[in-house]
Amino acid sequence: MPGFELFGEAERQEVQDVLDSGVLMRYGFDGLRQGHWKAKDLEHAIQNRFKINHAQLVSSGTAAVSMALAAAGIGAGDEVIMPSFTFVASFEAILMLGATPIVVDIDDTLTLDIQSVKDAITPKTKAIMPVHMCGSMARLDDLKSICVEHHLILIEDACQAIGGTYRGKALGTLGDLGCFSFDFVKTVTCGEGGVVITNSSKYAKHLDHFSDHGHDHMGSDRGAETHPFLGYNFRISELNAAVGLAQFRRLDEFLALQKKHYSIMRQALEPIDGVTFRTVPKGGVESYAFLNFFLNDLESAREVSNAFKENGIDACFHYYDNNWHYIRKWNHLKEQQSLYPLSDEVTKGLDYLRHKTFLKSDHYIGRNMSCLVKLSWTETQVRERAKTMAECIKTVYFNR
Ligand SMILES: *Cc1c(COP(=O)(O)O)cnc(C)c1O
C-alpha cells in the first residue's frame, strides 16, 4: 500500500470513460451514460471477489463505518466497543450517530483484547467493532462467540487489511457488516471512497437508501422515488468509482508485491534478539500492508524510530507518540472538544475517558514499530532498506 504508487493506463482509461459520457453521478441518467456504471461495476467486482451478497460504495471509509452502524440501527444512547489503537475515524463514525464509543485495550495482535471487550459489555452495548489494524486481524472467533452470547452486532473495520483472510474467508465478510476505505493512502484507492459489505439483504437495503437521502431506487424517475426512512448523502461519484474499479482489479498484483516486500524485511529482522512480531490469530493470513514488530521497551522503540528517520527509513511509525492512531493523544475526544453541543448521553457516556488508563495497550504500542510496505520499491531497494533497518536496531541495542 498505497495503490496510488502504481497508477497507470488502466486507471486513466476508466476515468476517461466517465469523462466521455459526462455522467459523474452513480444513479440515473441511463440514456446519457453510454453503458458506463462504474460504481455498480465496482460493487459487483467486490461482491464477486469477497463472495458476499451486497456491497454499498460510499464517499469514504469513515462514512462506511457510520453507514454500517446506522444500517444496524445503532444510535443515541447505544454503546459501541472499539479498540484503543485505530484511526480517529472509528470514534468519529460512532459519535456521528449519537452513539457512545467505548474504548478498550488491545493485545499482542494489535487489535481488541478479548478480556477487555468482555469487561466493557453493559446493557447499553449494541455492537463490537474490531479494527484489523496494519494488515492483520482481530481474534474473530472469540469476538463472534461474544456477539452471539450477548446478542451484539459485529462490525469489522477492515480499512487497513483489504485482501487479508481468516479461516479462508475475506476479512470484512466474517462480521454482520464489514467496511473498507479507498482513501488516497490505502491499498486500493478511489481518491476518496469506501464500501460496506454484508450478507444481510435488510442491511443492504438500509445502506442503499440511507447513503442517498433515503431514496428507494425503485423505477426510473428519481424525482418520483419514495423515502421510506430518513437518509443523508454519502454517495460516491462515478469519477472516484472509476479509479477504484481499475485499482480493485489489480488487488492480487498489489497483494503479491506487499507479501514479497514484507517477507524480505521480516527475514532481515527475525534473527535479531529483542525483535518479536505481532501475533496473527490462528487461521489468519495478513494482507502484508505493514510489517509490525515489537522491541524490548519503550525507550528502545523511540530510539529505533529516530534511528530509522536519521537513516532514511521513512514510513515506519511508532504509534505511541502519534496524534491520530492511539488513545494517548486523543485529547479532543477525552475533553469532548466539540464545535456543537453533544447530547447528554454522549457527554456522560464519554466521562470514563477522563480517568481510564490503557496500560495493556501502552505495553504493546509503546514497543511497537509499524512499517508501511510500499508497492513501488524495487527488490534491491527493499533489500537495502531491510539491511539498514536491521543495522539501526542492532546499534540501538548495542548502545543501551
Ligand atoms: C483510513 C481508515 C479509516 C477511514 O477511512 P477514510 O476513507 O479515510 O475516511 C477508518 N478506519 C481505519 C482503520 C482506517 O485506516
Side-chain angles (χ1 to χ4, degrees):
M1 114 175 189
F4 78 75
E5 292 177 276
L6 300 185
F7 265 163
E9 196 45 47
E11 285 79 2
R12 268 190 289 279
Q13 186 53 55
E14 294 297 332
V15 174
Q16 195 60 49
D17 286 347
V18 178
L19 293 175
D20 288 347
S21 77
V23 180
L24 311 187
M25 183 171 174
R26 68 158 300 175
Y27 296 114
F29 303 94
D30 299 25
L32 268 181
R33 60 197 313 138
Q34 300 164 14
H36 296 307
W37 298 90
K38 301 304 180 187
K40 276 201 173 76
D41 288 352
L42 177 50
E43 286 169 350
H44 289 144
I46 292 168
Q47 287 163 14
N48 290 336
R49 165 82 198 219
F50 294 143
K51 301 191 174 59
I52 191 97
N53 292 341
H54 308 280
Q56 179 69 48
L57 283 170
V58 289
S59 52
S60 71
T62 313
V65 178
S66 265
M67 299 298 98
L69 292 161
I74 291 160
D78 295 339
E79 293 179 354
V80 179
I81 294 176
M82 58 164 273
S84 59
F85 174 49
T86 175
F87 183 49
V88 289
S90 299
F91 62 75
E92 292 168 356
I94 297 166
L95 285 171
M96 206 185 72
L97 301 170
T100 306
I102 302 299
V103 183
V104 309
D105 267 325
I106 56 142
D107 65 13
D108 57 345
T109 62
L110 298 177
T111 68
L112 286 174
D113 174 60
I114 298 303
Q115 190 56 47
S116 304
V117 170
K118 288 183 181 165
D119 293 344
I121 293 172
T122 74
K124 290 181 181 168
T125 310
K126 286 287 153 56
I128 300 178
M129 187 166 72
V131 183
H132 306 315
M133 280 301 275
C134 305
S136 180
M137 76 275 344
R139 300 180 191 276
L140 284 163
D141 273 358
D142 294 325
L143 293 175
K144 279 181 108 159
S145 327
I146 296 173
C147 285
V148 169
E149 188 187 336
H150 296 271
H151 307 289
L152 305 176
I153 305 224
L154 184 63
I155 297 177
E156 295 176 75
D157 177 340
C159 290
Q160 292 195 9
I162 193 165
T165 59
Y166 183 72
R167 300 199 190 285
K169 288 187 176 159
L171 293 182
T173 67
L174 292 118
D176 297 288
L177 297 126
C179 305
F180 295 104
S181 162
F182 301 130
D183 81 18
F184 192 53
V185 295
K186 296 302 201 284
T187 301
V188 167
T189 185
C190 288
E192 298 286 359
V195 70
V196 189
I197 58 178
T198 183
N199 277 321
S200 152
S201 45
K202 180 175 112 185
Y203 293 160
K205 189 171 157 190
H206 292 175
L207 294 163
D208 171 85
H209 299 10
F210 189 76
S211 58
D212 185 22
H213 302 292
H215 272 274
D216 67 7
H217 299 139
M218 303 289 268
S220 55
D221 178 358
R222 219 174 130 75
E225 289 174 10
T226 67
H227 30 65
F229 48 79
L230 296 170
Y232 287 99
N233 177 5
F234 288 101
R235 292 187 307 256
I236 193 165
S237 89
E238 281 288 272
L239 285 170
N240 295 85
V243 176
L245 184 58
Q247 286 258 300
F248 190 77
R249 289 187 182 129
R250 302 176 66 187
L251 182 57
D252 283 327
E253 174 194 344
F254 295 172
L255 291 173
L257 283 168
Q258 284 181 175
K259 185 173 182 182
K260 179 178 167 194
H261 297 169
Y262 169 108
S263 306
I264 292 172
M265 291 197 288
R266 180 160 174 151
Q267 274 164 22
L269 305 192
E270 235 153 21
I272 305 175
D273 254 355
V275 172
T276 55
F277 296 87
R278 73 113 51 97
T279 299
V280 176
K282 198 160 160 281
V285 177
E286 295 180 71
S287 77
Y288 306 104
F290 289 80
L291 175 66
N292 284 276
F293 54 93
F294 300 109
L295 296 153
N296 282 337
D297 48 56
L298 173 61
E299 277 318 306
S300 301
R302 280 190 168 134
E303 284 178 29
V304 165
S305 174
N306 288 334
F308 279 1
K309 280 177 195 145
E310 282 158 19
N311 289 278
I313 304 297
D314 62 343
C316 280
F317 309 104
H318 182 224
Y319 283 119
Y320 189 78
D321 293 324
N322 174 292
N323 287 343
W324 296 95
H325 293 83
Y326 188 50
I327 182 80
R328 214 166 75 87
K329 298 277 185 86
W330 294 343
N331 295 329
H332 59 328
L333 174 66
K334 295 182 210 171
E335 290 157 18
Q336 306 185 18
Q337 301 288 347
S338 172
L339 286 180
Y340 51 86
L342 297 171
S343 72
D344 287 349
E345 278 135 328
V346 169
T347 304
K348 288 196 196 91
L350 285 179
D351 212 37
Y352 73 99
L353 278 177
R354 296 185 194 275
H355 22 259
K356 181 164 177 174
T357 56
F358 292 88
L359 297 179
K360 189 161 190 178
S361 306
D362 286 345
H363 174 72
Y364 291 108
I365 295 297
R367 298 181 300 120
N368 172 256
M369 290 292 305
S370 271
C371 293
L372 183 67
V373 177
K374 289 197 187 171
L375 302 173
S376 59
W377 292 330
T378 63
E379 189 174 325
T380 316
Q381 283 172 331
V382 190
R383 291 201 182 280
E384 274 170 17
R385 183 183 180 84
K387 202 169 136 231
T388 309
M389 286 166 65
E391 280 162 5
C392 288
I393 297 169
K394 285 183 204 157
T395 308
V396 164
Y397 278 150
F398 185 78
N399 291 327
R400 281 180 69 82

